[in-house]
């Protein structure tokens, strides 16, 4: 049983954004400071990736640990009410992520994911971005 009224719950859930989230804005800011150039939310690509680095043929998803079920993360909790609904919802989310990743890779894109819990430390994000863009045309440090 939910402790919050259905109206209040609906209002809370309506505030859950799918793009331009706090973690995504952190990653975008750090990528920009590193001199990386990217496109946002390209709808012509499967899954509408959060950041697209055409130069590196790289797409980057900034996933919320709860919604995308970050394995081993303490934020990937299961709600105590309506567990059947949530289990199905999370299963659909992860299956959709797997399908989109497969389509992108089949089209020659490299797919990387940064998890919400990793965005708490800007140095970690910088290291990840340097690593995934490393190469002959990668970020110079």
């Amino acid at each position: 049983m939910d402790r919050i009224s259905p109206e209040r719950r609906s209002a809370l859930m309506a505030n859950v954004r799918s793009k331009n989230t706090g973690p995504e804005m952190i990653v975008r800011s750090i990528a920009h400071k590193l001199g990386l150039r990217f496109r946002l939310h390209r709808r012509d690509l499967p899954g509408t990736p959060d950041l697209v680095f055409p130069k590196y043929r790289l797409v980057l998803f900034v996933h919320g640990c709860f919604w995308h079920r970050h394995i081993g993360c303490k934020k990937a909790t299961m709600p105590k009410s309506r567990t059947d609904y949530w289990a199905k919802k999370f299963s659909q989310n992860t299956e959709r992520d797997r399908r989109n990743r497969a389509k992108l890779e089949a089209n020659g894109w490299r797919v990387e994911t940064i998890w919400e819990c990793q965005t708490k430390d800007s140095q970690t994000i910088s290291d990840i971005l340097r690593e995934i863009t490393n190469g002959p045309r990668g970020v110079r440090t």
Side-chain angles (χ1 to χ4, degrees), residues 45-63:
L45 295 175
T48 315
D50 297 315
L51 287 83
V52 179
F53 300 89
K55 179 178 177 181
Y56 305 103
R57 196 82 179 150
L58 167 71
V59 298
L60 179 65
F61 289 96
V62 182
H63 281 335

Side-chain angles (χ1 to χ4, degrees), residues 34-46:
L34 290 172
L36 298 169
R37 296 298 174 253
F38 49 87
R39 297 286 178 251
L40 299 174
H41 312 119
R42 276 189 47 187
R43 292 179 146 197
D44 61 324
L45 295 175

